[in-house]
Amino acid sequence: MLFTKPPKRDYFNPGHIHKPLFRERPHSSKSRSHTLLILVSLLCFLLGVVVSPLSLAQSGELVMQSEDGESTPALLHSTHVELQVNGMIAHVTYSQTFTNDTDEWKHGVYTFPLNENAAINSMEMLIGDRVILGKIKPKVQAEEAFDAAKKAGKKASLTQQQRPNLFIQHLANIAPSEKITVKLQYIQQVNYDNGEFSFHLPTTLTPRYIPGIPIKDLSDTVLSTQAFANSDKTEFKSTQAPQSAGNNSSRLTNNNTFISGWALPTNEVSDADKITPFMAPAQPDSNTNQLSFNATINAGVPLDSINSTGHKLNWHAIENARYQYRAWLDDKQTPMNKDVWLRWRPSKDSTPQAAYFAEDIDSDHYALVMLTPPQVNPDELQDFPREVTFIIDTSGSMGGRPIQDAKAALKLAIERLDTQDRFNIVAFNTSYTKLFSQPANTKPHNIKTALAFISELHANGGTEMAGALYEALNVQPKENHIKQIVFITDGAVGNEAALFSMIQQQLGSARLFTVGISSAPNSYFMTRAAQFGRGSYVFIDNQNNIQKEMQRLFSKLESPVLSNLSLTLPKNMRHNDNVEVYPKRLPDLYAGEPLLINLKVPDLAPEDHEHGKDLVENTADNSLVLEGTLTDKDGNTHRWQRSIKARYLAAERNNNVSDNSANTKPPRSTQSKGIATAWARKKIAALMDEKALGREENEVKNDIINVALTHNLITAYTSFVAIEEVVSRPESVNVSSQNIKNLMPQGTQMRAVNYPQTSANINFYLAIGALSSLFLVLLYSCDIQRFLLRQCRIFIKDKRVKHNG
């Protein structure tokens, strides 16, 4: 078993009868004395906690102290996003500007989120009029180049990936009052579901819970003296070697160890310090962490609407440009404390059923194909009873609005259950609690009990998902019932890979659906968990959006699965042994869901010609065909299919030119830029999934590096680095480092979970214990003297009696 099951308790079936913890005893002076002793010991322990570095923290950020006594950031940060959508591909220019608002030289570290499908393929650093292009390198080489430039006093930037949706921007040697912009460009596939397109731009993150036992303590770092220092001098000397965490080493500047996050690496999350950036609450008049956003959408079809549920949005059609639209946030500067969800819906008569986008690079043909199953009436199809287990996250990160939204969503789901369904609820934080010992029917008293149980849920504690997931996955469903699991959470955990592995191993015939809650959920965990669980996902980014998104989920939960999918490629692709298609295993489809296929065909050759006509263009051999099955109310199986022609034109015979070369490439129709990059991103994601499921890391690493260097992509094993060759900071000038904080998601509370699990090593606590013992001895010295004197008198008396006898 991958995880040890944590303690559990049944809500209605306690395993034991309650007994008093202590028996009542007559009060005596001794008991009062013992009680006083215990209270004093407790006070001494609290004294140890009070003087520990953790208690000095006021917020989870490294702060700078200005001369007037107010804590202000030394580095100001803002982000500008330019979005260009063409069909199913979004081209994003993501510009981060950092301003050194002090009279000192600074290094900066900024941990920021992007969508899990973002494929960063370009980076440049702008300093005034100077532009320094970034180069993609293996991660270790990029780090070494950056560290050397940093030490030499050169301006440099390093962009790294820690998770598919979490990146780190390092900046070196920013002069006083200087402004540096790092411009990233990336490709992202647009999502399409239930007739609506959407683009997701994360702006901040919910602090991740870090499970496991710390594998090093604070004696290995300078966090105990640095992280909570009320000084603008954050430079501390260290004689220790840099400590490694996963594939990354601690940053060093003139022998200084710099802490990049609030958590310590553990045996379950080796890079915990890299994925836990310091956080701060949003301030109304803040001049940092501001976002501006503009979008141009070339939809190819007329649109009925463009909207963003969490932000005020303006949009209009572009004059003299068919089916092109412009959208922008109403506020020029928007606090980066909630994700941007941009959605656009085609008119009813223009809803696409299939699409083929292609790009050719050298001799390789890349394609992104969308195929939507035919619309069916659920009433005409077989309706199986369901056994649904609802898992709800009640950990501390859900505090505030998220737990209220989660409870509202869960109540809607419970009230929606059918009379033939069965259900249970598992609530978890540090441990988990089941509503019923076994799934129950949907009789009114069970529904009423469930609603009362939900009303009493509160957010606190850790985010130990494993036990709750294991419990839900291993319940055996009643015969003839479809097993479904609905997981409501913000996904704020650091051990995603281990959880994916468990879902894959324990899933069986079940289907796992995820509901993302929060202004900034961990969308990487939510989408991948649903993928491993052969289910689907929705995000609730706004309390006014609960009804709509849950309705979208209900339509999937209650609709039959479109299963046994198969994909037939065109003839000239089918005969190529090196064709790579993602996903490799076709998923089940639910109501309104299309199948998105990324494929690469190396050395695509033209087909033969007959009678001057292109057989490929006039036969089904030029089509991609998706087939599947549905089952009607009578239990009869029906096959269905959807097809689309591949988007290329075979070479026409020219009477004046004769070229019968077998390697002659057919000319193509208009290219769709970014298709190759999107394919590479999908391949890298598939390789990372293989690593999560147990494939040897070195093999995965080599495969990913080969793809990343070919397509110029940031990955877990490659990074972009930009270095200005001119030395700008004199060696004699001091420099200090700063973490650039993220804003807490809107509606989420700052909690103690945002700090290290341990704030000092064991020697510190042993010293406090020894001091406490000494204090107690001194406190009770009079009693001890009386006791010793009494014993001495008894001994002397006994000796006299013995002597007289």
Side-chain angles (χ1 to χ4, degrees):
M1 181 165 53
L2 183 63
F3 292 92
T4 302
K5 294 173 68 175
K8 63 179 181 179
R9 66 179 176 86
D10 276 350
Y11 189 65
F12 287 98
N13 299 286
H16 62 277
I17 299 174
H18 173 73
K19 296 180 180 179
L21 185 61
F22 299 102
R23 295 181 179 177
E24 293 187 5
R25 295 182 178 180
H27 293 287
S28 66
S29 60
K30 284 187 177 181
S31 65
R32 287 193 295 269
S33 178
H34 291 161
T35 301
L36 179 61
L37 180 64
I38 292 171
L39 289 174
V40 172
S41 299
L42 178 60
L43 289 174
C44 290
F45 171 76
L46 292 176
L47 176 64
V49 174
V50 168
V51 300
S52 72
L54 180 60
S55 65
L56 302 178
Q58 297 300 317
S59 65
E61 60 168 328
L62 180 64
V63 297
M64 303 293 171
Q65 191 76 13
S66 62
E67 293 182 359
D68 59 2
E70 295 181 359
S71 297
T72 57
L75 292 178
L76 304 178
H77 161 260
S78 62
T79 295
H80 176 67
V81 175
E82 286 287 344
L83 170 66
Q84 173 70 53
V85 177
N86 292 307
M88 294 291 296
I89 295 293
H91 299 260
V92 185
T93 300
Y94 191 86
S95 301
Q96 301 170 329
T97 299
F98 305 90
T99 304
N100 183 358
D101 198 28
T102 72
D103 56 0
E104 297 179 347
W105 286 78
K106 293 290 181 183
H107 302 315
V109 179
Y110 176 53
T111 302
F112 63 99
L114 289 178
N115 186 274
E116 61 278 3
N117 292 317
I120 302 177
N121 59 357
S122 175
M123 177 262 233
E124 58 187 28
M125 179 172 61
L126 288 74
I127 310 163
D129 296 331
R130 306 190 302 280
V131 178
I132 297 93
L133 296 179
K135 298 179 181 179
I136 193 73
K137 294 184 178 183
K139 198 167 192 176
V140 174
Q141 294 180 21
E143 286 180 342
E144 291 173 350
F146 176 80
D147 287 340
K150 183 178 181 181
K151 185 176 182 180
K154 299 177 181 178
K155 288 179 173 36
S157 61
L158 173 69
T159 309
Q160 296 178 307
Q161 175 185 309
Q162 287 303 131
R163 293 290 187 277
N165 66 336
L166 194 63
F167 300 81
I168 301 179
Q169 189 68 260
H170 299 271
L171 295 164
N173 299 305
I174 309 174
S177 304
E178 188 172 44
K179 181 184 294 185
I180 291 181
T181 298
V182 178
K183 182 181 292 186
L184 303 174
Q185 293 186 344
Y186 66 87
I187 301 297
Q188 180 177 320
Q189 273 187 205
V190 169
N191 190 41
Y192 181 71
D193 187 18
N194 202 32
E196 184 177 73
F197 293 93
S198 64
F199 171 82
H200 174 215
L201 176 70
T203 63
T204 188
L205 65 154
T206 301
R208 283 168 163 82
Y209 174 75
I210 305 299
I213 302 170
I215 57 178
K216 65 179 182 179
D217 58 36
L218 289 180
S219 64
D220 295 327
T221 69
V222 295
L223 184 59
S224 58
T225 55
Q226 177 180 349
F228 309 117
N230 290 323
S231 170
D232 59 357
K233 304 293 184 182
T234 61
E235 189 173 4
F236 289 85
K237 300 294 181 182
S238 173
T239 59
Q240 298 176 359
Q243 303 294 324
S244 66
N247 294 314
N248 303 312
S249 60
S250 301
R251 301 259 82 58
L252 290 180
T253 304
N254 299 331
N255 296 323
N256 296 321
T257 302
F258 186 68
I259 307 303
S260 60
W262 50 257
L264 298 177
T266 72
N267 61 331
E268 294 188 37
V269 188
S270 61
D271 63 346
D273 54 328
K274 303 295 192 301
I275 63 171
T276 53
F278 296 102
M279 309 296 294
Q283 301 295 332
D285 299 323
S286 175
N287 59 346
T288 189
N289 290 78
Q290 299 293 312
L291 171 72
S292 54
F293 177 88
N294 296 309
T296 301
I297 300 174
N298 181 6
V301 295
L303 300 182
D304 273 350
S305 64
I306 303 177
N307 66 80
S308 176
T309 53
H311 295 82
K312 295 180 180 179
L313 191 75
N314 295 315
W315 69 280
H316 63 76
I318 299 175
E319 293 184 7
N320 302 321
R322 189 181 185 191
Y323 304 146
Q324 294 189 35
Y325 304 83
R326 183 167 290 119
W328 65 97
L329 294 183
D330 190 44
D331 297 325
K332 291 184 178 180
Q333 294 293 323
T334 302
M336 297 178 67
N337 63 346
K338 56 183 175 181
D339 292 359
V340 175
W341 292 86
L342 185 67
R343 296 182 172 91
W344 57 99
R345 182 176 289 274
S347 60
K348 291 183 179 180
D349 297 336
S350 304
T351 303
Q353 301 299 320
Y356 190 102
F357 305 93
E359 180 179 20
D360 291 331
I361 297 179
D362 298 328
S363 61
D364 298 330
H365 176 71
Y366 298 88
L368 169 60
V369 185
M370 182 185 75
L371 294 169
T372 304
Q375 295 292 327
V376 293
N377 185 354
D379 295 335
E380 298 176 357
L381 301 173
Q382 190 170 10
D383 186 17
F384 290 98
R386 300 176 298 136
E387 188 166 293
V388 189
T389 300
F390 298 96
I391 305 175
I392 181 169
D393 184 348
T394 62
S395 63
S397 65
M398 295 284 288
R401 203 205 79 206
I403 189 62
Q404 300 303 323
D405 291 351
K407 290 164 64 174
L410 181 52
K411 287 182 177 180
L412 283 175
I414 295 295
E415 293 170 342
R416 180 70 177 245
L417 291 169
D418 194 76
T419 55
Q420 61 182 343
D421 295 336
R422 296 168 59 83
F423 78 103
N424 203 354
I425 300 175
V426 180
F428 76 92
N429 42 50
T430 305
S431 59
Y432 68 88
T433 301
K434 295 193 300 181
L435 172 59
F436 304 115
S437 58
Q438 296 295 329
N441 57 40
T442 55
K443 291 184 178 180
H445 68 276
N446 286 333
I447 297 296
K448 184 177 180 180
T449 299
L451 296 178
F453 173 78
I454 296 169
S455 297
E456 294 300 317
L457 295 176
H458 302 284
N460 57 73
T463 313
E464 294 288 350
M465 292 184 177
L469 270 171
Y470 185 89
E471 177 69 31
L473 289 167
N474 282 274
V475 172
Q476 294 301 316
K478 189 176 180 180
E479 188 176 0
N480 297 324
H481 279 62
I482 295 177
K483 181 179 177 181
Q484 297 177 335
I485 300 168
V486 179
F487 192 4
I488 305 174
T489 177
D490 57 14
V493 290
N495 61 330
E496 296 101 327
L499 294 168
F500 297 155
S501 179
M502 186 188 69
I503 293 170
Q504 173 81 7
Q505 294 176 20
Q506 305 295 332
L507 184 67
S509 62
R511 296 293 184 268
L512 174 66
F513 299 80
T514 56
V515 180
I517 298 286
S518 170
S519 300
N522 181 358
S523 58
Y524 164 59
F525 174 78
M526 310 303 298
T527 56
R528 299 306 259 190
Q531 174 186 318
F532 280 106
R534 300 175 66 188
S536 189
Y537 59 88
V538 296
F539 289 101
I540 297 176
D541 58 318
N542 186 285
Q543 58 186 356
N544 299 323
N545 212 27
I546 297 176
Q547 185 77 36
K548 174 186 174 183
E549 294 303 327
M550 289 304 293
Q551 182 60 48
R552 180 177 295 184
L553 177 65
F554 297 149
S555 67
K556 296 176 180 180
L557 289 168
E558 298 165 5
S559 297
V561 175
L562 309 177
S563 58
N564 301 318
L565 299 185
S566 64
L567 180 69
T568 303
L569 297 176
K571 182 179 178 181
N572 60 335
M573 295 184 189
R574 202 159 58 236
H575 293 168
N576 191 322
D577 295 334
N578 296 319
V579 173
E580 293 184 79
V581 179
Y582 297 98
K584 288 185 177 180
R585 177 185 178 185
L586 298 183
D588 296 334
L589 295 181
Y590 299 88
E593 282 189 341
L595 178 64
L596 295 177
I597 303 164
N598 298 81
L599 62 88
K600 173 188 176 183
V601 188
D603 301 318
L604 182 63
E607 290 294 325
D608 293 333
H609 299 261
E610 181 178 341
H611 306 300
K613 292 185 178 180
D614 180 10
L615 291 180
V616 177
E617 279 294 297
N618 292 283
T619 68
D621 280 342
N622 185 39
S623 297
L624 282 85
V625 182
L626 178 67
E627 294 183 283
T629 60
L630 290 169
T631 305
D632 63 22
K633 283 187 175 295
D634 299 324
N636 299 317
T637 299
H638 300 272
R639 292 198 64 80
W640 56 266
Q641 72 174 29
R642 177 81 70 187
S643 64
I644 187 172
K645 288 185 178 181
R647 245 190 63 185
Y648 53 74
L649 300 174
E652 296 182 359
R653 189 176 297 276
N654 190 319
N655 293 330
N656 299 322
V657 178
S658 177
D659 186 353
N660 297 320
S661 171
N663 295 322
T664 302
K665 287 270 294 174
R668 305 288 191 255
S669 55
T670 304
Q671 303 251 12
S672 298
K673 292 184 179 180
I675 301 300
T677 302
W679 173 88
R681 190 71 183 86
K682 291 297 183 181
K683 177 169 183 174
I684 290 168
L687 289 169
M688 289 300 292
D689 289 345
E690 292 178 15
K691 175 176 174 287
L693 297 178
R695 185 184 170 193
E696 178 63 34
E697 181 176 6
N698 284 335
E699 295 179 5
V700 173
K701 178 180 178 180
N702 292 334
D703 288 347
I704 288 178
I705 289 176
N706 289 335
V707 177
L709 295 182
T710 301
H711 292 270
N712 225 42
L713 292 179
I714 288 181
T715 68
Y717 304 109
T718 55
S719 304
F720 269 113
V721 61
I723 299 172
E724 187 177 37
E725 292 305 319
V726 178
V727 174
S728 57
R729 177 179 60 83
E731 186 176 355
S732 59
V733 175
N734 291 330
V735 60
S736 59
S737 299
Q738 182 195 344
N739 286 294
I740 299 167
K741 58 188 176 294
N742 280 256
L743 300 184
M744 284 295 293
Q746 186 181 69
T748 303
Q749 300 173 348
M750 281 290 269
R751 300 183 65 86
V753 72
N754 292 352
Y755 301 101
Q757 295 186 16
T758 58
S759 59
N761 63 24
I762 188 64
N763 296 327
F764 177 84
Y765 290 109
L766 289 175
I768 289 295
L771 290 174
S772 299
S773 300
L774 178 61
F775 179 73
L776 289 173
V777 169
L778 294 175
L779 183 66
Y780 286 90
S781 58
C782 294
D783 290 338
I784 293 173
Q785 290 176 13
R786 293 191 191 96
F787 173 78
L788 292 175
L789 183 60
R790 190 181 307 112
Q791 295 301 318
C792 182
R793 288 173 178 172
I794 292 174
F795 174 76
I796 295 173
K797 183 177 180 181
D798 288 345
K799 188 175 181 180
R800 287 175 180 173
V801 171
K802 184 176 181 181
H803 178 74
N804 292 335

